[in-house]
């Protein structure tokens, strides 16, 4: 019985990542963004999420997606609709909430929504985080949009972290 506390403690320390590792700063930006989407889908909750980059006015690329597509050649309806909305979100600089156009009967209230949030991107092609959200009402979906707006700002943290890392390296070189 004496050895039990130490085994549970060592187990905890190996499975619990540091805050920085948990936020994914250890990996690439793409890994960080992908991990953030998983976390947001679990916590908000959202059905699915993607980060879309507008390379040109008529070109939208996928940066990250959760969960992965069942068939990589077939984009689900929420993703196609999100891609169409990206230019509008980029030009307005504001998040949007749109009922997902599904094959539901007309006249019924929407139960799925798209939330698109512009992601602060430092001097790179603009990006938009898109979330498919199931919601009982428009006002409930509106609350979710506000939460996602706050949380999507975390994506900018990676760029900031990287920029600060470069800056401190630059300062270190100056001192040398």
């Amino acid at each position: 019985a004496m050895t039990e506390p130490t085994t549970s403690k060592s187990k905890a320390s190996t499975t619990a990542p540091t805050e920085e590792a948990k936020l994914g700063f250890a990996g690439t930006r793409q890994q960080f963004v992908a991990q953030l989407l998983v976390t947001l889908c679990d916590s908000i909750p959202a059905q699915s999420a993607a980060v879309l980059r507008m390379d040109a006015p008529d070109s939208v690329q996928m940066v990250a997606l959760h969960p992965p597509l069942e068939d990589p050649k077939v984009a689900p309806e929420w993703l196609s609709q999100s891609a169409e909305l990206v230019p509008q979100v980029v030009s307005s600089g504001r998040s949007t909430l749109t009922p997902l156009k599904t094959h539901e009967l007309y006249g019924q209230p929407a139960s799925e929504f798209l939330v698109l949030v512009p992601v602060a991107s430092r001097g790179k092609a603009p990006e938009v985080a898109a979330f498919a959200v199931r919601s009982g009402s428009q006002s409930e979906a509106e609350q979710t949009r506000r939460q996602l707006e706050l949380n999507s700002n975390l994506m900018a943290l990676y760029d900031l972290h990287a920029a600060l890392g470069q800056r401190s390296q630059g300062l270190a070189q100056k001192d040398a």
Side-chain angles (χ1 to χ4, degrees):
M2 290 273 289
T3 56
E4 203 180 296
T6 53
T7 53
S8 64
K9 194 175 164 200
S10 64
K11 205 193 237 155
S13 62
T14 52
T15 52
T18 62
E19 270 311 304
E20 197 158 278
K22 202 156 59 189
L23 269 175
F25 283 137
T28 64
R29 182 176 188 276
Q30 193 156 0
Q31 288 168 326
F32 171 79
V33 169
Q35 185 53 53
L36 185 57
L37 290 185
V38 172
T39 306
L40 290 179
C41 281
D42 288 349
S43 61
I44 292 294
Q47 261 39 61
S48 27
V51 173
L52 305 165
R53 179 187 296 133
M54 195 166 96
D55 292 330
D58 58 351
S59 166
V60 173
Q61 301 293 320
M62 194 160 61
V63 177
L65 176 75
H66 176 74
L69 296 179
E70 286 171 25
D71 180 352
K73 291 188 284 292
V74 182
E77 193 57 44
W78 75 269
L79 193 56
S80 309
Q81 273 183 53
S82 296
E84 286 167 25
L85 292 166
V86 164
Q88 176 194 322
V89 173
V90 167
S91 66
S92 76
R94 291 210 301 266
S95 67
T96 64
L97 172 69
T98 317
L100 179 60
K101 296 194 250 357
T102 55
H103 306 292
E104 282 179 19
L105 297 170
Y106 284 103
Q108 290 201 323
S111 59
E112 286 190 82
F113 295 85
L114 289 178
V115 176
L116 275 76
V117 183
V119 177
S121 48
R122 295 168 52 84
K124 292 191 288 291
E127 290 176 351
V128 171
F131 301 89
V133 178
R134 244 180 225 139
S135 199
S137 66
Q138 181 92 22
S139 60
E140 198 180 289
E142 190 57 47
Q143 273 179 315
T144 303
R145 181 184 67 84
R146 284 196 291 273
Q147 278 180 291
L148 287 168
E149 228 170 49
L150 293 171
N151 285 292
S152 294
N153 292 337
L154 290 170
M155 289 184 204
L157 275 182
Y158 186 90
D159 298 328
L160 190 65
H161 186 82
L164 290 174
Q166 286 163 358
R167 209 167 114 200
S168 60
Q169 276 178 338
L171 291 172
Q173 282 162 1
K174 255 186 226 154
D175 296 341

